[in-house]
Amino acid sequence: MKDEEHYQRGMEVRRAVLGDSHVDRTLSQLTPLNEEFQDFITRYAWGDIWTRPGLERHTRSMITIAMLIALNREAELKMHLRAAFNNGVTRDELKELIMHSALYCGLPAANATMHLAQQVFDEIDAAG
């Protein structure tokens, strides 16, 4: 598959998972410094890995969130907590994922994620 095909497939998945407004905002902020990196993310993360047939997007969202909890990557975690709803992940599933992560990632990481998830839920609820 050519790079352009990977990019197009990646952009479709990226928009489906993260939402058009997030992707449009990111693309509007392209600079000479970050434009190749954004192209790389779209082609490889979204166009190659997220399009593989072995896992559903729901499962990929759950795995991604668990890894981001373990790595303590708050900005990416918040983005993926919000995006998980686009992949059919429920609030109860997120709660259970965070509870489970407390055992394997540590209580401080799970506690911080509980607060972050509540913030995301409140923002979603406020938006209607």
Side-chain angles (χ1 to χ4, degrees):
M1 181 177 302
K2 295 182 175 154
D3 280 351
E4 184 58 29
E5 292 174 75
H6 275 267
Y7 183 87
Q8 292 305 322
R9 281 183 19 176
M11 190 55 71
E12 289 173 20
V13 174
R14 191 174 186 182
R15 286 183 178 283
V17 173
L18 300 178
D20 287 330
S21 62
H22 175 85
V23 175
D24 290 343
R25 186 172 51 257
T26 299
L27 294 177
S28 74
Q29 297 171 1
L30 291 178
T31 68
L33 175 65
N34 70 18
E35 66 184 335
E36 289 178 50
F37 184 69
Q38 288 297 320
D39 180 74
F40 173 80
I41 290 169
T42 301
R43 284 183 293 124
Y44 291 102
W46 298 106
D48 192 25
I49 299 302
W50 275 78
T51 59
R52 292 176 58 84
L55 297 171
E56 298 297 320
R57 287 184 192 164
H58 179 280
T59 303
R60 289 185 192 282
S61 279
M62 298 283 281
I63 292 168
T64 300
I65 290 167
M67 288 188 286
L68 292 171
I69 292 169
L71 293 169
N72 192 25
R73 300 295 192 260
E74 184 177 323
E76 287 284 313
L77 178 55
K78 185 175 182 181
M79 178 182 71
H80 279 280
L81 284 168
R82 180 179 297 282
F85 296 109
N86 294 333
N87 292 325
V89 178
T90 68
R91 290 180 185 209
D92 284 339
E93 288 172 319
L94 289 173
K95 179 179 75 173
E96 292 305 319
L97 172 62
I98 297 166
M99 294 292 293
H100 194 79
S101 73
L103 292 175
Y104 294 96
C105 303
L107 292 173
N111 187 43
T113 303
M114 277 291 187
H115 291 289
L116 192 62
Q118 188 62 59
Q119 181 184 11
V120 168
F121 295 172
D122 291 347
E123 290 170 3
I124 290 170
D125 291 344

